[in-house]
Amino acid sequence: MSNTRGLGLKATAALVGVVMFPALAFAVLPGDQLGTTEAEIRASLEAEGFEIRDFDRGRSEIEVEVTKDGVRMEIDLTLEGRVKSIELD
């Protein structure tokens, strides 16, 4: 994937976030690097206003269940701490 296309996808994701969930806009997007340790990832999310409900480092990915402004989400990350996906819970 070219860098230009990647930026386009991030911009689209941000626009959808603004329209659907204004309070969540621009907080965390797919592709963002949050850290490499549990402490760094937790600190990154908490700095953006997320409340961590559960943190699970599996064999193939990291799943973090969070709440922000009353909205529950699951954030999936690579084992290196890069955001793969964000799903409403």
Side-chain angles (χ1 to χ4, degrees):
M1 176 183 303
S2 74
N3 190 28
T4 304
R5 181 172 175 167
L7 292 175
L9 292 175
K10 285 185 103 173
T12 300
L15 180 59
V16 169
V18 169
V19 172
M20 295 179 65
F21 304 100
L24 306 178
F26 306 114
V28 175
L29 295 172
D32 287 352
Q33 179 69 39
L34 300 184
T36 56
T37 66
E38 180 175 347
E40 291 171 344
I41 294 167
R42 284 178 176 273
S44 293
L45 291 169
E46 289 168 350
E48 293 293 341
F50 290 95
E51 176 187 334
I52 312 295
R53 295 184 299 119
D54 188 40
F55 189 101
D56 180 36
R57 180 182 292 269
R59 294 204 295 179
S60 62
E61 70 178 8
I62 299 168
E63 295 178 358
V64 186
E65 293 181 12
V66 299
T67 302
K68 182 169 183 179
D69 298 326
V71 178
R72 295 170 53 129
M73 292 168 276
E74 180 178 296
I75 301 175
D76 295 328
L77 301 99
T78 65
L79 292 176
E80 294 78 29
R82 186 167 308 279
V83 177
K84 291 172 42 175
S85 64
I86 303 167
E87 302 171 7
L88 294 178
D89 217 7

